[in-house]
Amino acid sequence: MDGYLGSYATLGLVVAAGVLLFVAAFGANRLLRPASPAEPAGKRIPYESGIDPVGGDWAQAQIRYYVYAYLYVLFAVEAVFLFPWAVIFDLPGFGGAAIAEMGIFVAVLALGILYAWRKKILGWT
């Protein structure tokens, strides 16, 4: 399989082998499965952690969980930006400007957490 179209021929053979394997697997499944599988009582009810469901199927989640998750992601992603800064901080040419930029960055983080604290978002009831 040399030449310009050789790699395409190899790719075509691999794709054909994959399709053939797929068709063979599903064909074997169709031939070997039972004609009418048994349906035991309760097979199609919702099931979670080995406990039969009790009550309604809808429960309201409190918004505070989403707020905590959002704040965590926000501060975790912003904290990730501190690591590259710490790595290049001691390199020549990153003295005062790097400290000023990181000071502004940490100040924005501090303002965000102060805002969340003042709005009592971080208070657990």
Side-chain angles (χ1 to χ4, degrees):
M1 303 259 179
D2 292 335
Y4 180 71
L5 297 176
S7 58
Y8 288 111
T10 304
L11 177 66
L13 287 174
V14 169
V15 168
V19 168
L20 183 65
L21 182 66
F22 180 79
V23 169
F26 273 89
N29 182 27
R30 182 173 283 269
L31 289 174
L32 298 175
R33 73 177 182 187
S36 57
E39 286 275 341
K43 181 176 181 179
R44 298 194 184 269
I45 64 170
Y47 182 80
E48 180 160 347
S49 302
I51 301 171
D52 290 331
V54 176
D57 59 350
W58 185 81
Q60 185 174 3
Q62 301 224 358
I63 190 67
R64 78 180 91 164
Y65 301 121
Y66 299 107
V67 171
Y68 274 97
Y70 177 73
L71 286 174
Y72 171 75
V73 168
L74 178 72
F75 288 109
V77 167
E78 289 183 357
V80 167
F81 289 112
L82 293 172
F83 293 109
W85 173 79
V87 170
I88 66 163
F89 177 68
D90 64 343
L91 297 176
F94 289 103
I99 290 177
E101 289 174 4
M102 195 48 60
I104 293 170
F105 182 74
V106 171
V108 168
L109 284 178
L111 283 174
I113 198 134
L114 180 67
Y115 175 79
W117 179 65
R118 295 275 303 204
K119 289 288 191 175
K120 299 197 187 299
I121 293 174
L122 300 177
W124 193 261
T125 58

